[in-house]
Every structure is written in structure tokens, then in C-alpha cells.
Amino acid sequence: MSRHVAIVTDSTAYLPQRTMERHGITAVPLTVVLGDQALEEGTEISTRSLAQALQKRRSVTTSRPSPQVFAETYRRVAEAGATGIVSLHLSAELSGTHDAAVLAAREAPVPVRVVDTGMIAMALGFCALAAAVTAESGGTVDEAVTAAEKRAAGTSAFFYVDTLDYLRRGGRIGAAQALLGSALAVKPLLQLDDGRIEPLEKVRTASKAIARLEELAADRAGSAPVDIAVHHLAAPDRASALADRLRARVPGLVELHVSEVGAVIGAHTGPGLLGVVVSAR
């Protein structure tokens, strides 16, 4: 049984399954509540089912994992040989997941460092990968945390949504901001700022908004080595086209990931989401 520092994250990191397996990363699932059904993200609800439910205006909410789920995860990871655990999670401004992990960490059989990355989606995923690579090379818990925090500091996330209504319903953006966007019939661009989803710009048409999203991502990337993730919900053609343009435009691109977001983020953004994460190496 190997002795090592283990990396735990949550399902909103949206890391490819093969990447998680290769680096030994464990993801704790958040829950999507569809009507009266509580379904685990990633295994019990598909993004297609979510998009259909949202389009039919069915009640969709999300829920953090319980401290008990985290406690069981930490116990299982420790039994597999971990001498320490780094537990990296989506922004505490957006979810109680971090708080649940902190509660469970107090009773864990090995030391656990719980980190509020202030990130979400592959912005979180890149942090988890940085920590995992450090741990794989023999790094300590503190060194893995430092690697994740450094990656977070060099990561930006920009989002386009067709409407702010879903973010308003979920309490992730102010009602006044959402109403203003609807009244002006604009297409909003958002950014992750200090762990919160904040309005960035308002653009008149979808095509202009997506072009501006591309420009923001390319400007943020510059010429230094970067990884980029393009996320979408029910917009694969848009995402693929945007990824192709960024691939041609960003000279320092190392890796580019294109993926559909899971049900938790999708529940708060709605179909049509496009997101770009730019993460400095």
C-alpha cells in the first residue's frame, strides 16, 4: 500500500474521468434536485436531462455534499494509503461545499487541508491537477496546496449566458442586475471575480458577445504558456468553433479542453452557456 498525499475535489471541477484516474484524484459529487428527486451530479443526471428540465421551467435546485459524504471519502482515501489529503473545492461564495468539507476534516483519520480555491469548473480542475502533479513528485501537503493556490492566482474565467434569469433564480446574481439585462435585451458577459460571478460587459447580440468572449480569453492568455478550457451547455457547435479559433489565436497554448458542464453549473446558467477558462502554466 503506497503512502502519499491524496487530492480530493468535487464534481464541479469537470475533469475528464481518464485524467482523474491517471492522477488519482477523487471527486465528491454535488446534488441536483429535480422536482422531488435528489440526483448525484455525474452519475444520476445527464446534462441533456437537465437542459430539457430547464427549458420546460421545471424546478431545479442544487445541494452541497453532506459532511458525512466527505468523512466517508476521507476515510476511504486514508485506507488506500494516503498520509495526508488536500481537499480543493469550488468557491465558498457559490456553495456550502467547502464548509461541509471543513466539518468532515476535523474527524478525518489523517491530516486534511481544505482549500477554498475561489474557482469553479475547469478553473477548479486546473488547481486540482496542479496539486496532484506536485503530490505525484513527492510533494508534501503544504507544497500541493501552494501549487493549487499559485494556479488559482493565474487563472481567469469568463462566461457568456443567453439570459441572467437562471443565475437570478439560484441567487448567484442580484435580481436588479438580472432585470436590467432583460430590460435592455442585452447578452451578458460574466467573469469570476473574488469567487463570485460578476457582470463584466453587456453586448447587444449573441454573435458579438461570443466574439468578445474570444477576445477576452485571447488577451488574457497573451503569449505565455497557458491551458484553456471551453465549456458549454447544450451548445456543442458554438463551443467547438470557439475552441478552434482560440487554438489558432493563442500562441502559448499547451492544452485545450472542450467539455459540457455538469448539471450543477448548468442549473444556474441555463442552456446556451459558453465559458472560457484561461490558466497560466
Side-chain angles (χ1 to χ4, degrees), residues 78-230:
E79 287 179 352
T83 56
I85 298 170
V86 178
S87 199
L88 301 150
H89 300 292
L90 79 159
S91 172
E93 294 281 350
L94 302 175
S95 169
T97 300
H98 170 269
D99 293 342
V102 168
L103 289 172
R106 295 172 184 168
E107 308 299 326
V110 296
V112 179
R113 284 280 300 277
V114 181
V115 180
D116 172 13
T117 65
M119 299 284 115
I120 198 165
M122 272 298 291
L124 168 59
F126 288 132
C127 293
L129 277 174
V133 169
T134 299
E136 285 169 0
S137 64
T140 64
V141 165
D142 286 346
E143 288 168 340
V145 169
T146 297
E149 291 177 338
K150 182 179 179 181
R151 196 71 190 251
T155 297
S156 299
F158 306 100
F159 306 95
Y160 160 81
V161 291
D162 278 335
T163 173
L164 291 172
D165 191 43
Y166 297 104
L167 284 162
R168 177 194 59 77
R169 285 190 229 168
R172 266 59 179 186
I173 200 167
Q177 293 169 330
L179 181 61
L180 179 62
S182 299
L184 295 176
V186 297
K187 295 299 183 181
L189 290 173
L190 312 166
Q191 66 177 338
L192 200 57
D193 184 17
D194 287 333
R196 297 183 297 274
I197 296 172
E198 300 285 2
L200 179 61
E201 297 179 7
K202 300 183 182 73
V203 185
R204 283 293 179 181
T205 67
S207 61
K208 288 180 179 179
I210 294 169
R212 180 60 179 146
L213 181 66
E214 175 189 340
E215 185 177 348
L216 288 165
D219 287 349
R220 174 65 182 81
S223 58
V226 295
D227 296 323
I228 291 178
V230 176

Side-chain angles (χ1 to χ4, degrees), residues 24-104:
I25 300 170
T26 301
V28 176
L30 275 72
T31 300
V32 177
V33 182
L34 187 59
D36 58 358
Q37 286 185 294
L39 305 167
E40 283 190 357
E41 181 176 43
T43 58
E44 296 180 339
I45 180 170
S46 68
T47 49
R48 177 174 293 183
S49 297
L50 171 79
Q52 290 173 345
L54 291 172
Q55 288 163 346
K56 294 176 181 177
R57 302 190 69 82
R58 292 184 61 188
S59 172
V60 181
T61 58
T62 59
S63 176
R64 71 176 193 181
S66 70
Q68 290 75 21
V69 170
F70 274 111
E72 173 59 23
T73 300
Y74 296 153
R75 182 193 62 76
R76 190 171 65 251
V77 169
E79 287 179 352
T83 56
I85 298 170
V86 178
S87 199
L88 301 150
H89 300 292
L90 79 159
S91 172
E93 294 281 350
L94 302 175
S95 169
T97 300
H98 170 269
D99 293 342
V102 168
L103 289 172

